[in-house]
């Protein structure tokens, strides 16, 4: 490619460190689309003869068919996807192939290809997350009134419903999908035409190529167009946050499936066994979803590190932008698909969940609220009274709802029989009817809102 300036071929080690076709071959569809748009624009502007443009477009179409059929000769000697395509084009159509690179550099070419790929990846990630939300909505609707313990510090806190718990993840994944859509909107500007770094002296039409590739507009600064990868960093940031949410849900599935909890089960098809312990049913898919977070977060850190301190415009360091992005989105796509399958197949043990809902004096806050509401105690005084009642119930080995009235009145004489109406987990959940609350009616209303939004 640069034989006119160099008299020696690259050393073996130079070839080994410089070649990227093993990674960037994944950009073949984007590279062909960018070349077709560029060629069509050159012909429209009279920069390229019509017959040459037709030959180039025909050759690119042949290459597309070869790659789809698995017969395209990917070769390390041509370094990357761009030169592999150009070399094959020359073999197919001869001299006109050399005219395709007019008014274009590999710098704006790869920046365009990579944006197109990341844009598609953001679309796929958002669609995958929405499929996961739909699976969660089905389970949440089926179990909107299923009592379970809510936790803080993994200690029983207050009763909630399983539907409400699952809807928390619907909200999280909704924000995750929104981050991918936001990132896509910001990256939807076209670098093509920036050339190496300073733009092109040819009378090109950058708006034409941008429109042909589905971009909103061309990028406004040629240096910026070829030198930044913030679009990839933003997409990786969204991926890392989404992976964190997936990991939290995966962790809960792992905990809930232990015999000590026994809250849920998964079918054989989504669990594994043990090579030595025949009784085991392991939630390996949930554990692996949890582990994928490390790889995705690592990809973000890797690219942040590559990009820090690079002077404008392009540096070869930026060839290392694609491996972490490809790896992260592969991992994210698989994790989302696995989690969607697990959520759809989840089998809650409603009896076990309900029994645990009242454990650990989980309605203590309801007692404190009743004291404030009915006896006009200051909340701090009500908190103290409730704490004493919990201590007494614990000493007697009973729940708050089983603590005799005379024991409560020994702590606060004004407590009446009416207090028992708020001390069951069912009453606790049912009382929280405000927007965002865990009452079944509030949960069902939010489910319907999300169904409409996703429709």
């Amino acid at each position: 490619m640069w034989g006119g300036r160099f008299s020696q071929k690259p050393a073996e080690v130079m070839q080994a460190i410089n070649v990227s076709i093993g990674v960037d071959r994944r950009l073949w569809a984007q590279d062909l689309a960018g070349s077709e748009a560029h060629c069509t624009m050159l012909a429209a502007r009279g920069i390229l003869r019509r017959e040459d443009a037709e030959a180039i477009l025909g050759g690119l179409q042949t290459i597309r068919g070869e790659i789809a059929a698995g017969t395209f000769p990917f070769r390390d000697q041509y370094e990357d996807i761009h030169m592999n395509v150009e070399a094959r084009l020359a073999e197919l159509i001869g001299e006109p192939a050399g005219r395709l690179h007019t008014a274009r550099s590999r710098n704006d070419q790869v920046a365009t290809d990579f944006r197109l790929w990341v844009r598609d990846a953001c679309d796929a990630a958002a669609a995958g997350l929405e499929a996961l939300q739909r699976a969660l909505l089905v389970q949440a609707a089926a179990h909107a009134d299923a009592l379970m313990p809510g936790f803080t510090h993994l200690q029983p806190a207050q009763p909630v419903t399983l539907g409400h718990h699952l809807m928390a993840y619907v909200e999280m994944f909704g924000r995750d999908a929104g981050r991918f859509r936001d990132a896509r909107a910001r990256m939807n500007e076209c670098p093509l035409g920036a050339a190496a770094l300073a733009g092109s002296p040819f009378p090109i039409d950058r708006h034409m190529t941008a429109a042909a590739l589905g971009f909103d507009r061309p990028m406004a600064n040629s240096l910026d167009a070829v030198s930044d990868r913030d679009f990839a960093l933003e997409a990786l940031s969204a991926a890392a946050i989404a992976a964190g949410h997936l990991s939290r849900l995966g962790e809960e599935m792992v905990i809930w499936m232990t015999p000590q909890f026994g809250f849920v089960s998964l079918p054989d098809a989504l669990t594994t066994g043990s090579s030595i312990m025949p009784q085991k049913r392991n939630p390996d898919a949930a554990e692996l979803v949890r582990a994928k977070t490390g790889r995705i977060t690592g990809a973000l850190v890797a690219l942040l590190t590559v990009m820090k301190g690079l002077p404008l415009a392009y540096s070869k360091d930026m060839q290392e932008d694609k491996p972490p992005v490809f790896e992260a989105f592969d991992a994210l796509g698989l994790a989302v698909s696995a989690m969607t399958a697990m959520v759809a197949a989840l089998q809650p043990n409603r009896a076990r969940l309900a029994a645990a809902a009242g454990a650990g004096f989980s309605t203590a806050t309801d007692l404190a609220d009743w004291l404030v509401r009915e006896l006009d105690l200051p909340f701090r005084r009500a908190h103290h009274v409730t704490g004493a009642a919990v201590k007494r119930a614990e000493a007697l080995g009973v729940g708050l709802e089983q603590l005799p009235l005379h024991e409560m009145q020994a702590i606060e004489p004004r407590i009446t029989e009416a207090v028992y109406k708020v001390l069951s987990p069912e009453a606790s959940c049912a009382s929280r009817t405000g927007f965002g609350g865990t009452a079944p009616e509030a949960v069902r209303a939010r489910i319907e809102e999300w169904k409409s939004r996703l429709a």
Side-chain angles (χ1 to χ4, degrees), residues 74-389:
F74 291 103
R75 290 167 282 192
D76 286 355
Q77 71 190 82
Y78 294 120
E79 185 179 324
D80 58 27
I81 185 61
H82 322 297
M83 297 310 301
N84 265 266
V85 168
E86 187 172 321
R88 181 60 179 152
L89 186 64
E91 292 170 355
L92 290 170
I93 68 171
E95 188 269 343
R99 301 185 183 278
L100 175 59
H101 211 52
T102 305
R104 184 177 73 171
S105 163
R106 280 196 301 174
N107 292 357
D108 64 334
Q109 187 178 0
V110 68
T112 302
D113 293 356
F114 198 27
R115 273 182 189 258
L116 288 169
W117 192 95
V118 175
R119 189 178 72 180
D120 290 345
C122 286
D123 289 341
L129 288 166
E130 288 174 358
L132 174 53
Q133 286 180 286
R134 291 187 181 95
L136 284 163
L137 285 172
V138 171
Q139 290 282 19
H143 304 289
D145 59 352
L147 293 173
M148 70 170 289
F151 297 94
T152 62
H153 310 278
L154 203 55
Q155 300 295 315
Q158 292 177 292
V160 296
T161 64
L162 179 57
H164 190 58
H165 192 108
L166 295 176
M167 286 301 294
Y169 286 103
V170 172
E171 303 289 346
M172 293 180 212
F173 294 131
R175 292 192 298 273
D176 291 331
R179 272 183 279 271
F180 282 114
R181 287 191 290 267
D182 290 346
R184 187 204 196 283
R186 246 182 306 281
M187 75 177 64
N188 206 34
E189 296 182 337
C190 186
L192 197 58
L197 76 162
S200 172
F202 290 90
I204 60 175
D205 185 346
R206 294 189 63 208
H207 288 85
M208 180 180 176
T209 49
L213 294 170
F215 289 107
D216 294 330
R217 64 191 71 84
M219 294 187 73
N221 184 286
S222 60
L223 287 166
D224 178 41
V226 299
S227 67
D228 207 359
R229 294 295 185 267
D230 60 350
F231 66 93
L233 288 168
E234 187 173 6
L236 284 178
S237 298
I241 296 170
H245 289 151
L246 288 165
S247 181
R248 295 182 74 177
L249 181 52
E251 169 73 359
E252 293 200 311
M253 286 188 175
V254 170
I255 292 171
W256 290 354
M257 284 187 64
T258 61
Q260 290 79 7
F261 273 73
F263 285 179
V264 300
S265 61
L266 286 171
D268 291 351
L270 292 171
T271 56
T272 64
S274 165
S275 63
I276 190 172
M277 296 171 284
Q279 84 280 10
K280 294 294 292 296
R281 180 194 292 273
N282 298 323
D284 281 4
E287 294 172 18
L288 288 166
V289 165
R290 192 173 57 185
K292 297 292 184 189
T293 305
R295 299 178 68 176
I296 295 168
T297 303
L300 171 59
V301 174
L303 187 53
L304 284 167
T305 306
V306 166
M307 294 305 300
K308 70 160 191 65
L310 292 185
L312 299 184
Y314 180 84
S315 296
K316 194 68 170 186
D317 309 51
M318 292 161 68
Q319 181 169 289
E320 294 298 312
D321 57 1
K322 287 168 283 297
V325 172
F326 292 161
E327 180 179 12
F329 277 95
D330 285 349
L332 181 67
L334 183 56
V336 170
S337 295
M339 185 58 73
T340 302
M342 284 187 286
V343 167
L346 201 65
Q347 299 162 358
N349 185 335
R350 289 175 65 114
R352 189 70 174 262
L353 286 163
F361 309 102
S362 64
T363 58
T365 304
D366 296 276
L367 173 56
D369 289 342
W370 185 89
L371 293 169
V372 171
R373 215 169 41 245
E374 301 298 326
L375 304 186
D376 197 29
L377 290 186
F379 184 79
R380 286 302 165 202
R381 171 62 184 160
H383 189 285
H384 181 80
V385 169
T386 300

